[in-house]
Amino acid sequence: MNVWRDIPVLSNSSVSMRDPKRVEQILTSMRNAGASTLQVISDFDMTLTRFACNGKRCPTSHNILDNSKLISEDCKAKLKNLLDTYYPIEIDSTRSVEEKLPLMVEWWTKAHELLVQQKIIKDRLALVVRESEAKLRDGYQQFFDHLHQLSVPLLIFSAGIGDVLEEVIRQAGVFHPNVKVFSNYMDFDESGVLRAFKGELIHIYNKREGALLNTEHFKELQSRGNVLLLGDSLGDLNMADGVMDLQNILKIGYLNDKVDERRQSYLNSYDIILEKDETMDVPNAILQYIT
Ligand code: C5P
Ligand code: MG
């Protein structure tokens, strides 16, 4: 067995690893343990979906709504203003998580308040997603179908909007029964008008708390101690903190933006980083190898 020979995409120029030997050991252990011991935990926006297409940014689940006809022009301007203010903070590698956390809570809270004021109608969401420019990464079909065929649980853990992201994967035909979503869900009144968001807010820096709140889910998966984790933010590294009896974890991080500034911090915390890679080729090849 030779991991590098069997997974040639790992030699692509977009792929970097801090410690290839460790990656090799994890992949070998996971392959020996097999699909019945595996679970996949993935972020959604800019991890399962594309960051850019033809040089243009692709929308997050929030942006799908923000840019839609369900939002007034005045509100669109306010949401755009929030994005222009807070997104640079999100990706600023010179600020600490402690400094960013309250600002991220502020962003999510203000954006959700604005969305609620728009009296969004539940029945319109499907059309808005259909008309959006959201795109799952190339190779998504193989990724979702392969996990489904092997009955490997896929947890999508997102600080985006659950109702919107579910619609994206439903319309792509890959919302299989092995997929479970933790996210921010909309609360509609009896006439189907948005009145609030349900439960505790999930933002990019409290995925650890979110994971620990969902002990039931992880208890059901107790026999699956091998985890493949996919993310694009350093906050995504904590998505597996609720996993019980963890054996091995392989963390794959998409480095989409501010690549040079953030490379070192991503290398320090993810096992494999994928720079400006809009495909699922590496996760797919790894899944082929270990299952
Ligand atoms: O699914 P994921 O956890 O990646 O969703 C979070 C992403 O949504 C963040 O990376 C952030 O840039 C984006 N976001 C947004 N609009 C908001 C809040 C967050 O596009 N109002
Ligand atoms: Mg993301």
Side-chain angles (χ1 to χ4, degrees):
M1 281 297 143
N2 179 323
V3 167
W4 314 117
R5 189 198 58 214
D6 293 341
I7 317 180
V9 286
L10 287 179
S11 308
N12 286 358
S13 59
S14 58
V15 179
S16 319
M17 293 168 229
R18 174 188 70 252
D19 187 351
K21 199 93 209 117
R22 201 181 111 81
V23 169
E24 186 172 13
Q25 281 163 0
I26 297 173
L27 286 171
T28 306
S29 302
M30 284 185 164
R31 181 183 165 103
N32 290 338
S36 64
T37 68
L38 181 68
Q39 56 176 305
V40 179
I41 304 180
S42 180
D43 169 55
F44 184 74
D45 292 301
M46 311 295 115
T47 295
L48 292 179
T49 53
R50 289 181 69 120
F51 178 76
C53 189
N54 300 326
K56 214 177 132 227
R57 278 295 309 267
C58 290
T60 62
S61 54
H62 275 98
N63 304 153
I64 291 174
L65 268 188
D66 299 355
N67 303 333
S68 77
K69 58 189 178 195
L70 304 184
I71 309 294
S72 71
E73 289 308 313
D74 174 55
C75 184
K76 271 187 186 151
K78 288 180 179 154
L79 288 162
K80 168 85 170 47
N81 195 19
L82 291 180
L83 182 68
D84 293 343
T85 307
Y86 292 102
Y87 178 68
I89 301 174
E90 178 188 345
I91 59 165
D92 184 348
S93 54
T94 67
R95 299 193 199 216
S96 67
V97 171
E98 290 71 32
E99 193 186 338
K100 292 198 239 186
L101 190 144
L103 298 167
M104 293 298 104
V105 174
E106 215 171 87
W107 181 15
W108 260 256
T109 309
K110 286 180 181 169
H112 286 188
E113 278 167 14
L114 285 169
L115 291 175
V116 169
Q117 287 168 15
Q118 295 297 296
K119 308 227 173 302
I120 291 167
I121 298 167
K122 187 179 185 348
D123 290 350
R124 301 269 172 85
L125 290 180
L127 184 63
V128 156
V129 169
R130 199 160 289 126
E131 289 177 343
S132 77
E133 291 180 350
K135 279 196 179 57
L136 291 162
R137 287 189 191 272
D138 295 356
Y140 75 85
Q141 180 109 34
Q142 183 187 335
F143 176 79
F144 281 89
D145 289 354
H146 186 78
L147 293 176
H148 178 223
Q149 278 152 15
L150 296 173
S151 301
V152 171
L154 167 61
L155 171 64
I156 299 177
F157 197 160
S158 170
I161 302 178
D163 308 74
V164 176
L165 80 85
E166 281 196 6
E167 196 54 40
V168 173
I169 54 179
R170 192 174 295 120
Q171 289 184 13
V174 291
F175 200 174
H176 301 312
N178 62 317
V179 178
K180 175 150 185 174
V181 181
F182 294 170
S183 188
N184 298 303
Y185 279 92
M186 295 170 141
D187 184 15
F188 295 98
D189 68 16
E190 55 290 341
S191 45
V193 176
L194 178 65
R195 63 174 165 203
F197 279 82
K198 292 180 188 166
E200 295 292 317
L201 174 72
I202 304 175
H203 56 79
I204 46 162
Y205 291 126
N206 70 351
K207 290 194 174 182
R208 178 181 160 76
E209 290 72 10
L212 297 178
L213 274 177
N214 285 283
T215 40
E216 273 315 305
H217 168 79
F218 291 112
K219 212 170 183 174
E220 276 172 33
L221 304 185
Q222 201 158 4
S223 59
R224 295 178 178 271
N226 286 316
V227 179
L228 184 67
L229 179 145
L230 309 178
D232 79 293
S233 148
L234 296 179
D236 296 330
L237 290 157
N238 297 109
M239 294 187 301
D241 286 8
V243 172
M244 295 183 180
D245 299 334
L246 183 72
Q247 301 291 314
N248 297 286
I249 179 164
L250 186 73
K251 298 174 181 174
I252 303 180
Y254 282 93
L255 178 51
N256 299 310
D257 204 0
K258 290 262 183 288
V259 170
D260 291 331
E261 293 91 321
R262 299 198 294 168
R263 181 177 297 111
Q264 197 53 53
S265 58
Y266 274 61
L267 273 173
N268 292 345
S269 37
Y270 278 105
D271 299 303
I272 298 178
I273 68 169
L274 305 174
E275 286 184 28
K276 293 200 175 291
D277 175 351
E278 295 293 355
T279 76
M280 298 296 294
D281 292 352
V282 169
N284 281 339
I286 285 176
L287 283 171
Q288 287 292 344
Y289 180 77
I290 60 181
T291 58

